[in-house]
Amino acid sequence: MEDFRRTYLRACKDVGVDPQECVLAQLLQERPGSAGARLDLSGQSLSADSCLALGRAFQDDTAFTEVSLSDCMLSEEGAKGLLTGFFTNTTVKVLDLKGNNLRSTGAEILGKLVARNKTIRRLVLEWNALGMWDEAFSLFCQGLSANATVAQLDLRNNQISHQGASELATVLRRNGSLEVLDLRWNNVGLLGGRSLLEALQQNHTLMQLEMAGNNVPKQTTGHNSDKRSLLTESRSRTKVLSKEINILKQEKGRQYLSLMETIDRQRDEMGRSSRSTSVHVGQLQEALNERKSTINALTAKRSRRRGRRWPASDGVLREGKLLRDLQNGTESNTQLRNKQQIFELKQELTNTTAELKLRLVQAEDRLEMEKRRSKQALEDMDALRQKEVEHVNRHLEESERALQDRIFKLENQRIHLEEELSRSKAVCVTQRAEADEELGTVRAQVRLEEQEQVTSLEEKLRGVRQSRQEAQSHCTQQKQTIAQLQAQQGQHRLENDGLRRRVEDLQQELSGKDQERVAEVSLVRVELQEQVGHLQVERTAQAGLKEKISALEREMKALSSSHREALLDRESECGSLLERVRLRDAEIQRMREDEAQRASYLQGAVLAYVQGSPLLGPYGSPKK
């Protein structure tokens, strides 16, 4: 705050104006150095020079995120100097300009502001006159079309006509950031409402549109919010399903890897055991061969000494051959058993992997089916919305045509009544002119007669003093004529009053016609309310569709529970497979023990045979 205050003072010095005390007091009330603060200058009378200094201070300001300048009654120059400072500002997100009577210049500078500024999210322009000049408001709408950050725009009480509404409809077709637009208490009318409704079909971001006080049937933008909620919900569901499928894949992969590791370990152990047994048997075979060689040498020596020992040496050879055959048979038997067990384990592993792959493919197919269903549901909802909008458009066009016909008829009646009134006024004027002409002629005649009488009296003054009575009688006759003329003038006045009353009656009839027109307008409003009731019925139908969507969600939950049960079944099957592997390990261990016991028995038998041979001495050593 202190940096902004210093910047404001320096800007005031550059402009050559004294800083306003109200601005300095407001800056001192804020906490110094607080980021994201709000500057409230509502109700302050800011001069044009002070606005220019504030605009320069706001150019590089980073202290405020919300600025309120409502009810400051900014002049055109002051608004231009102040709003120019927000062109390069990068921190202000909320700007309130309510009740400043901004007009053509304000609309133009606001258009430049929204076209250049990239940070303002909420713009309040209530109680201004931006829509009074169509060209300036068109420039504002052009700047708003190029804006990509303003999400909330308040245009209440801005005298926006149906042409301004068509400009805003063009904005809604191009703009992709507006979410809330408030147009209450303007002069949009039916044409503007229809253009906005048509523009809403191409806009997918506007969530709320307020149109009260514009003589427009209630507009709704619920289809955008419903569509966005359905999309987010379907995306969340697909994410959850894909996560579950990935978890299943990972678990199955870990199980497969663990199973392969156990099989490899068993193979290694079997190889090591077979190698150790083969080495041990080889050692025994070597010892046996050595014994046999010694026995053969001894038998050869004894055969050379005594020729009758040859049958014994043949028996030894046969016995050795039988032992070798027995050993080869046991080795081949163990190898065959091990190979058969390995083949069975491989077969079971391939079966389980194939089954897991099949179930994974089935789960993916179900996911694709759910995606297609959700997509079809969204397309159906869009088609239904389009049909509803077309129906509302047709109904609005029909009602508009009917209202135009009624307005045309009422205009014809009004024109006819005005013609009658003009004719009656013309008749009244002509009668009044005739009465004035008659009165003028009578007055002229009276004046002429009086002049003649005066001249005759002046001429005969001396001679008619005796005939004064005759002159007086003549004067009384003249007075009677004047009274008659005055009576005629009163009659003319009465006629004029009658004409005036007739005009008043005609005006009353015209007011009655106006009342009938108001009654017809009220009937049209009642019809529109009935249409609103029909729309509410359609909204209940949409609620039924939402219930269907909830039913589909419950089905998806049931499917997820069935998937979980299938996973539990697979886990139980994996446990059974592990139990089988454990049993096979125990059987292999038992076979190893049997082989070791057999080898020990064979070794003991060979040693016993060698020790008990008659060719050896009593101490097991050969006789020389």
Side-chain angles (χ1 to χ4, degrees):
M1 302 297 176
E2 187 64 27
D3 295 337
F4 183 79
R5 191 172 70 84
R6 286 197 293 269
T7 306
Y8 171 65
L9 293 174
R10 187 165 55 252
C12 290
K13 186 177 181 181
D14 294 337
V15 174
V17 64
D18 294 332
Q20 286 191 345
E21 295 296 332
C22 59
V23 179
L24 293 176
Q26 188 64 34
L27 291 174
L28 289 174
Q29 287 179 4
E30 302 291 341
R31 289 186 305 166
S34 61
R38 180 176 185 269
L39 178 60
D40 189 1
L41 296 175
S42 300
Q44 305 294 336
S45 59
L46 301 178
S47 62
D49 294 333
S50 182
C51 289
L52 182 59
L54 280 174
R56 292 187 180 183
F58 277 119
Q59 286 181 357
D60 299 323
D61 173 57
T62 58
F64 299 105
T65 59
E66 184 175 354
V67 177
S68 178
L69 297 168
S70 61
D71 300 322
C72 291
M73 295 302 292
L74 301 176
S75 62
E76 297 288 337
E77 294 296 328
K80 185 176 180 180
L82 179 60
L83 296 177
T84 305
F86 289 97
F87 286 176
T88 58
N89 188 280
T90 58
T91 56
V92 175
K93 299 183 183 299
V94 179
L95 181 59
D96 189 355
L97 295 171
K98 174 183 176 182
N100 284 292
N101 198 21
L102 298 177
R103 296 176 182 268
S104 59
T105 306
E108 293 177 4
I109 199 68
L110 281 171
K112 295 179 182 179
L113 171 63
V114 295
R116 296 183 184 181
N117 189 277
K118 305 298 181 184
T119 57
I120 293 177
R121 296 280 299 166
R122 183 169 179 263
L123 184 60
V124 180
L125 299 173
E126 183 184 359
W127 284 108
N128 287 289
L130 300 178
M132 185 175 292
W133 285 271
D134 295 332
E135 295 180 357
F137 191 71
S138 176
L139 294 175
F140 170 71
C141 291
Q142 289 178 6
L144 189 61
S145 299
N147 184 272
T149 57
V150 176
Q152 298 180 8
L153 180 61
D154 190 351
L155 290 174
R156 287 178 289 177
N157 294 291
N158 268 276
Q159 302 181 18
I160 299 173
S161 62
H162 63 92
Q163 295 179 357
S166 62
E167 295 290 339
L168 286 174
T170 305
V171 172
L172 291 179
R173 290 188 183 94
R174 298 176 182 176
N175 187 283
S177 63
L178 270 179
E179 297 178 358
V180 178
L181 179 60
D182 197 344
L183 294 174
R184 287 179 289 180
W185 310 111
N186 284 290
N187 301 319
V188 173
L190 289 174
L191 295 175
R194 187 171 64 181
S195 61
L196 288 171
L197 182 62
E198 291 175 355
L200 286 177
Q201 307 308 314
Q202 301 178 9
N203 185 280
H204 301 287
T205 58
L206 193 66
M207 296 291 107
Q208 184 178 357
L209 176 61
E210 298 292 340
M211 294 287 291
N214 284 283
N215 295 324
V216 179
K218 186 177 181 181
Q219 307 291 333
T220 58
T221 57
H223 62 286
N224 285 336
S225 59
D226 293 338
K227 187 183 291 183
R228 178 170 289 184
S229 63
L230 286 173
L231 285 173
T232 54
E233 192 172 357
S234 62
R235 286 175 183 173
S236 63
R237 289 176 183 172
T238 51
K239 285 181 181 179
V240 170
L241 289 174
S242 60
K243 286 181 181 179
E244 290 182 355
I245 289 172
N246 290 326
I247 291 169
L248 288 172
K249 287 181 180 179
Q250 291 176 1
E251 289 180 356
K252 298 304 178 184
R254 286 196 295 270
Q255 292 175 1
Y256 178 75
L257 292 174
S258 63
L259 188 59
M260 291 298 292
E261 288 177 357
T262 54
I263 291 171
D264 291 335
R265 286 198 298 271
Q266 290 175 1
R267 286 178 182 175
D268 295 336
E269 289 178 359
M270 289 173 66
R272 285 196 296 272
S273 63
S274 62
R275 286 194 295 272
S276 62
T277 52
S278 62
V279 169
H280 191 59
V281 171
Q283 292 175 357
L284 292 175
Q285 187 68 33
E286 288 177 358
L288 185 60
N289 290 329
E290 289 178 359
R291 295 286 184 179
K292 286 179 181 179
S293 62
T294 54
I295 290 169
N296 290 328
L298 291 174
T299 51
K301 288 180 180 180
R302 291 179 69 84
S303 63
R304 283 197 297 272
R305 292 177 183 177
R306 291 180 293 181
R308 59 187 179 188
R309 293 292 182 184
W310 286 102
S313 63
D314 293 333
V316 171
L317 291 172
R318 286 195 193 97
E319 188 176 0
K321 187 176 181 180
L322 289 171
L323 288 172
R324 284 195 299 275
D325 292 336
L326 179 63
Q327 186 177 3
N328 291 327
T330 55
E331 288 179 356
S332 62
N333 191 11
T334 55
Q335 288 178 0
L336 287 172
R337 287 181 181 177
N338 292 329
K339 287 180 179 179
Q340 186 177 2
Q341 291 176 357
I342 291 168
F343 179 75
E344 290 177 355
L345 290 172
K346 284 183 177 180
Q347 190 68 26
E348 290 181 357
L349 181 61
T350 54
N351 292 329
T352 53
T353 53
E355 189 176 0
L356 290 174
K357 287 181 180 179
L358 180 61
R359 293 193 176 181
L360 182 61
V361 169
Q362 290 177 356
E364 289 178 352
D365 293 337
R366 289 179 182 175
L367 179 61
E368 290 294 330
M369 288 176 65
E370 291 296 331
K371 286 182 179 178
R372 286 195 293 272
R373 285 179 184 174
S374 61
K375 187 175 180 181
Q376 187 66 31
L378 287 174
E379 291 177 355
D380 294 337
M381 289 290 289
D382 290 333
L384 183 61
R385 290 287 182 184
Q386 290 178 358
K387 289 180 181 178
E388 290 177 356
V389 170
E390 290 176 357
H391 179 69
V392 171
N393 284 329
R394 287 196 298 272
H395 192 69
L396 283 175
E397 289 176 355
E398 291 175 358
S399 62
E400 186 177 357
R401 285 196 294 271
L403 287 174
Q404 286 178 356
D405 294 335
R406 291 180 181 177
I407 290 168
F408 183 72
K409 291 178 182 179
L410 292 172
E411 286 291 333
N412 291 327
Q413 292 178 1
R414 185 178 62 80
I415 291 168
H416 182 66
L417 291 173
E418 287 179 354
E419 289 177 354
E420 289 183 354
L421 182 61
S422 63
R423 285 195 297 269
S424 62
K425 284 182 179 179
V427 171
C428 183
V429 168
T430 54
Q431 290 178 357
R432 183 178 292 177
E434 291 176 356
D436 290 335
E437 288 177 357
E438 291 178 357
L439 183 62
T441 55
V442 170
R443 285 179 179 176
Q445 290 176 1
V446 169
R447 287 176 183 175
L448 290 173
E449 290 176 357
E450 287 178 353
Q451 288 177 2
E452 290 176 355
Q453 289 175 3
V454 169
T455 55
S456 63
L457 287 173
E458 285 178 355
E459 290 175 354
K460 298 177 180 181
L461 182 60
R462 295 175 182 177
V464 295
R465 286 180 180 177
Q466 297 176 358
S467 61
R468 185 179 294 176
Q469 295 178 354
E470 295 178 356
Q472 288 178 354
S473 63
H474 185 71
C475 288
T476 55
Q477 289 177 358
Q478 293 294 327
K479 287 179 180 179
Q480 288 176 358
T481 55
I482 290 168
Q484 289 176 359
L485 291 173
Q486 288 178 355
Q488 290 179 0
Q489 187 178 2
Q491 289 178 357
H492 287 299
R493 287 177 181 175
L494 291 174
E495 289 177 357
N496 288 328
D497 293 333
L499 290 173
R500 286 177 183 174
R501 285 193 295 273
R502 186 178 177 185
V503 169
E504 289 175 356
D505 293 334
L506 290 173
Q507 289 179 354
Q508 289 178 359
E509 289 179 0
L510 183 60
S511 63
K513 295 292 183 181
D514 291 332
Q515 290 177 359
E516 290 177 358
R517 185 172 62 184
V518 170
E520 289 178 356
V521 171
S522 64
L523 289 174
V524 171
R525 287 180 180 174
V526 170
E527 290 177 358
L528 290 175
Q529 289 178 358
E530 291 177 356
Q531 293 173 8
V532 170
H534 291 301
L535 291 174
Q536 289 178 355
V537 171
E538 292 176 357
R539 185 177 292 174
T540 55
Q542 292 176 4
L545 290 174
K546 289 182 180 179
E547 290 178 357
K548 289 181 181 179
I549 291 169
S550 62
L552 289 173
E553 290 177 355
R554 288 193 293 273
E555 289 179 2
M556 290 180 69
K557 289 180 180 179
L559 288 173
S560 62
S561 63
S562 62
H563 286 311
R564 290 191 184 92
E565 291 177 357
L567 286 173
L568 293 174
D569 295 335
R570 293 296 167 274
E571 289 177 356
S572 62
E573 289 178 0
C574 290
S576 62
L577 287 173
L578 292 173
E579 185 66 24
R580 288 182 184 177
V581 171
R582 188 179 62 77
L583 293 174
R584 293 295 171 85
D585 291 336
E587 190 175 356
I588 290 168
Q589 186 67 28
R590 185 176 56 78
M591 290 173 66
R592 288 176 184 171
E593 292 176 356
D594 293 338
E595 290 295 329
Q597 190 175 3
R598 288 176 185 175
S600 63
Y601 288 159
L602 183 59
Q603 185 178 3
V606 171
L607 290 174
Y609 175 76
V610 171
Q611 289 176 1
S613 177
L615 298 177
L616 298 174
Y619 298 103
S621 60
K623 295 180 180 180
K624 296 182 179 178

